[in-house]
Amino acid sequence: MTLTVGLVATAALLGGTVAAGAAPLSAAGKPAATFEAGRYVVTLAGSAVATYSGGVSGFDATTPAPGRQLDARSKNAKAYSEHLAIEQKRVAAAAGASVSASYTTALNGFAADLTSAQAATLYANREVVALERDSLRKITAESSTDFLGLGDATGAGGVWDTVGGVQAAGAGIVVGIVDTGIAPENPSFAGAPLGTSSGAAPYRAADGSISFAKSDGGTFTGACVTGVQFTATDCSTKIVGARYYVDGFGAARIGATSVGEYLSPRDGDGHGSHTGSTAVGNHAVAASVGGIDFGTISGIAPAAKIAVYKVCWSGPDPASRDDDGCATSDLLSAIDQATADGVDVINFSIGGGAAQTTVSATDVAFLGAATAGVFVAASAGNAGPGASTLDNASPWITTVAASTIPSYQATATVGSGLAYAGGSITVPAATVTGALVRGDLVAARRATDPLLCAPNSLDPAKVAGKIVFCQRGIYDRLAKSAEVKRAGGIGMLLVNKTASSLDLDLHSVPTVHLNAEAFATTFAYAGTAGATVTLTPGNTLGTAPPTPQVAGFSSRGPVLADGSDIIKPDISAPGVAILADGANAAGQAGTYQFLSGTSMSSPHMAGLAALYLGVKPAATPAEVKSAFMTTAYDTVNAAGAAVTDPFSQGAGHVDPTKFFDPGLVYLNGESDWMSYIKGAGNTGGGLDAVTAVDPSNLNLASIGIGSLTRPETITRTVTSTQAGTFDSSVSGLAGIDVAVSPSTLTFGAAGQSQSYTATFTRKDAPVDTFAIGSLSWTSGATVVRSPVAVKPVTLEAPVAAAGTGLTGSIDISVTPGTTADIPLATDGLAAGVLLRENKGGVNKPYSGVGTAGREITFTVQVPAGTAVQRFDLDSLTDSADLDLSVYRLSGKGGTQVAGWQSATASTDEHVDLRNPVAGYYQVVVSVFSGTDNYSLTTFTVAPGVGAGSFTVAPNPLPGVQGVPVSYAASWSGLAAGTDYLGLVRYGASGFSTIVAVKN
């Protein structure tokens, strides 16, 4: 059975990408949803322990004071947590459901297995803020420590020296890794056996928990949960916590068919061990791949502890990763528990595709974690280089792009004399020379994708003894070289058709991986008769690719959610060909692997946060993030020129040599984040008492304005970390005038705060595209730089306007973004059509009296060419609470393929669809309280079709940039007792205003 009450999207993890997270709360109320039986995450309106500031009778505030971490074990926290759990059970029981997982620390919510009726009942409950279908997310994959300037193989000569050496780098800090688990035998995670008394920290208490006194004065209290090939002795003075969560994914899916998977904290994939060792792995661990010695590796904060929260699992099909993933409900359990345990940092190399919201359940859980004092690093995603592909977009998260570092190379020299250097760890000490053939020209009969060297696509008779040109894409890179070897090939030239990463894979045959600049010439040459190629170890060209470059796969902004008023990603870090740990079974030696992805860049930032907090344990997540961002430097392109695009690099590449004393920091916290959420148009969830702030004015170390027509003033407050006088300067932002006031800030000591404003005015910048640049404050050698992105738009116009009367007029004001005439055009007016309900075989006007809980459904056909289709629900009883949902169907009587909803506190609701797809639509009226005494009317607005007269004047509208101007929309000749709808369009801008006339 399926009940139709709202629209819920699915989500995924970052190692591939799938459809993205839950729809946001909006000014129109809860998003439309279709509920089928299954597992759901239910978010409630009350504050979680981390964000509760008081107000519930009998329970004192539990949110931590500024600069302090949450004490989840305090008397008040435990009492309020128990209260929330009781309330969650009450809400679930009212719908006939049971709580299967409860979240109280970072998020107030629960997971439950629901029938469609139970889901609909919970969704109707006004204590429920959001209902999300549990979904699977996906994991995303010279040394980076050398590149970051932390120190050499001995730990000397860099940042580690300045913090007391590798033995002090991150000491007293616990990093939570929410991922695929851990391989405890690897030397990266070696530690001493746990003691049994507080004199030896960390120690195992009598109840089996693991306690650790942190550098901020708080205590981490974790657990070592045993399971398949994982015992209590696998935890140590290095691994101070190991838990796993599988209820959402389903333990029944973990079995003999899940190759290399373990129902325990043990890592069967290698991803979690890789991210964990990158962040906090021990120093100077010898690493080899395929028998090749690559020297030693180190985590960013080798003295920090690790707490593991396994949430990502391999499914039963070993040949496919489609059934692998991490369930949202399991993720929430891990985030909630990590916050309660007292971790200082969480790494989240997981995502679900391009962000549609900043307030999904995981976003809100991370808000709770950040409020509790936990720094959260998250992957930007691997869906680049397209725009607006980025995930994990919330401003309380530090979202990390992936960039390159100097890597292992080999050289491919083709017979024509052209030579290219590329990534490789498989070309032996001696050169490999052979005939070069192209995959599509040596295809097997009836082969699929031979140019991509798909499995069983190559003809051994044509490949034996040759080197094969294979295009990257679709199929696993290792599968390509395996196919070349199967067909008898002796080498592979793997070439990107579009710019992307150069990966260091352990291929089946000697392989050189080339980037897109080599594609056209090598593709053409490999198709000629007698073509040859020589693969030579090392880069023989005497040149090296400039670094750091943002990887082609790294997801980009701008974020479309919240009006593009925040810049994401926040920063870039190493994420290409990173050598770190892999997986192993119990009792086996540790393994190592090269991986690429924003999954690899995020733990670099998590480790750097541990490094920072080891020195400044009282620092808030916002301070850490700001220090990273304002001291970053520009990445480069393939030619070595500086890149200034904040939507690819964020503030730039992180620079540990500078971030400990950034000069100024931009601080923000839970109250600021809630104001931002409300300012972005969200409602519910305790936002009624919150003062909204324009998202552009959230006090971030970046400035974004997603729509600019007239001068806009942004306010920022900075807090000093040193005494001095700072002068402002602006770079880039071509065609935008920027006035900073005051232009100079003077601080007598660290810890002082001052505010400044920056007013942005368009001069001649192109409209409907972002102007980018930076704003800096400089004091001596200290430069505090913020990325800036401003988008001038053609105009700003009201979405809707309304008037009354058979003859009448209203004035509508718009603000032009340019100085030019604005031609106006009208569609309509379209007369409203009263829908009818078929009841007992008798057609009657859709107006009647029923009972609460009733749901009535209609089907409407929307014709081609419709400009606006409105569904208008008018309650005839002021006390009634009705909601309106609309779904596009796959055909007459078909399934739902898209949904919209109006579910406000108002007694009247409407849904407007602009330029809707022609076809059949299902209209659902849900009665939550009172009676269903109402009328439902549809309007179909189309060009050239209308009743009466509908005109606008003046036309064209004289536009002056930034100066509001009004026109009159007039009508006459309308029929009494009928409502009408029209549309005013503004030239070719794409902007329009819906005009409603009620009679």
Side-chain angles (χ1 to χ4, degrees), residues 235-280:
C235 290
S236 65
T237 55
K238 181 68 174 183
I239 304 172
V240 295
R243 303 178 188 262
Y244 69 93
Y245 302 89
V246 73
D247 285 352
F249 184 83
R253 299 173 64 187
I254 309 299
T257 58
S258 296
V259 178
E261 186 55 281
Y262 311 92
L263 192 59
S264 73
R266 178 171 292 279
D267 185 3
D269 177 271
H271 191 276
S273 298
H274 196 284
T275 57
S277 60
T278 297
V280 299

Side-chain angles (χ1 to χ4, degrees), residues 180-559:
T180 65
I182 192 168
E185 292 83 4
N186 196 295
S188 293
F189 305 122
L194 289 164
T196 57
S197 68
S198 58
Y203 68 98
R204 195 187 305 276
D207 63 0
S209 64
I210 301 171
S211 291
F212 173 58
K214 303 189 301 176
S215 60
D216 63 359
T219 301
F220 172 85
T221 304
C224 193
V225 180
T226 61
V228 176
Q229 295 192 27
F230 201 93
T231 70
T233 58
D234 285 320
C235 290
S236 65
T237 55
K238 181 68 174 183
I239 304 172
V240 295
R243 303 178 188 262
Y244 69 93
Y245 302 89
V246 73
D247 285 352
F249 184 83
R253 299 173 64 187
I254 309 299
T257 58
S258 296
V259 178
E261 186 55 281
Y262 311 92
L263 192 59
S264 73
R266 178 171 292 279
D267 185 3
D269 177 271
H271 191 276
S273 298
H274 196 284
T275 57
S277 60
T278 297
V280 299
N282 291 329
H283 180 66
V285 172
S288 63
V289 178
I292 303 171
D293 182 5
F294 288 99
T296 61
I297 60 172
S298 174
I300 301 298
K305 311 297 184 185
I306 185 171
V308 176
Y309 303 85
K310 182 177 178 179
V311 294
C312 303
W313 302 87
S314 298
D317 184 358
S320 172
R321 295 189 69 92
D322 291 342
D323 57 357
D324 301 347
C326 335
T328 301
S329 57
D330 294 335
L331 292 172
L332 295 174
S333 292
I335 297 166
D336 203 62
Q337 188 62 59
T339 305
D341 286 348
V343 302
D344 301 283
V345 177
I346 290 176
N347 183 71
F348 191 72
S349 291
I350 297 169
Q356 305 299 308
T357 176
T358 57
V359 287
S360 71
T362 49
D363 291 320
V364 175
F366 280 133
L367 188 152
T371 301
V374 180
F375 177 90
V376 180
S379 298
N382 298 339
S388 301
T389 51
L390 176 140
D391 194 19
N392 295 316
S394 300
W396 43 89
I397 293 172
T398 298
T399 309
V400 191
S403 52
T404 62
I405 59 175
S407 189
Y408 294 93
Q409 293 187 298
T411 305
T413 306
V414 297
S416 64
L418 294 174
Y420 302 92
S424 177
I425 59 170
T426 54
V427 175
T431 60
V432 178
T433 299
L436 175 64
V437 293
R438 213 169 65 201
D440 59 325
L441 302 179
V442 291
R445 293 184 61 189
R446 293 185 293 275
T448 300
D449 294 334
L451 180 59
L452 298 172
C453 297
N456 299 310
S457 66
L458 303 179
D459 184 349
K462 300 175 183 178
V463 171
K466 299 179 175 64
I467 298 171
V468 183
F469 175 105
C470 300
Q471 179 182 318
R472 180 181 183 171
I474 307 299
Y475 304 96
D476 183 89
R477 297 186 303 273
L478 292 175
K480 296 174 187 287
S481 62
E483 172 60 9
V484 172
K485 182 177 182 179
R486 182 201 66 80
I490 62 169
M492 180 174 71
L493 206 57
L494 177 63
V495 190
N496 299 336
K497 188 172 183 180
T498 58
S500 190
S501 58
L502 297 181
D503 298 279
L504 304 182
D505 300 306
L506 191 61
H507 284 288
S508 301
V509 294
T511 297
V512 179
H513 188 174
L514 303 180
N515 222 329
E517 62 270 14
F519 185 87
T521 52
T522 53
F523 175 87
Y525 177 74
T528 62
T532 61
V533 66
T534 297
L535 310 182
T536 306
N539 183 341
T540 65
L541 305 182
T543 61
T547 55
Q549 296 183 50
V550 174
F553 62 74
S554 188
S555 293
R556 267 68 167 174
V559 174

Side-chain angles (χ1 to χ4, degrees), residues 111-132:
D113 294 308
L114 304 175
T115 65
S116 57
Q118 290 170 335
T121 301
L122 280 168
Y123 196 72
N125 190 327
R126 296 298 164 142
E127 294 180 78
V128 174
V129 173
L131 202 67
E132 298 181 23

Side-chain angles (χ1 to χ4, degrees), residues 684-695:
L687 292 174
D688 292 346
V690 172
T691 300
V693 64
D694 186 321

Side-chain angles (χ1 to χ4, degrees), residues 126 848-856 875-883 907 925-934:
R126 296 298 164 142
V849 178
T851 58
R854 189 178 180 208
E855 188 173 83
I856 304 126
S875 174
L876 305 179
T877 305
D878 290 342
S879 61
D881 184 1
L882 312 176
D883 284 354
T907 56
V925 176
S926 301
V927 183
F928 291 113
S929 65
T931 67
D932 61 350
N933 186 10
Y934 54 85

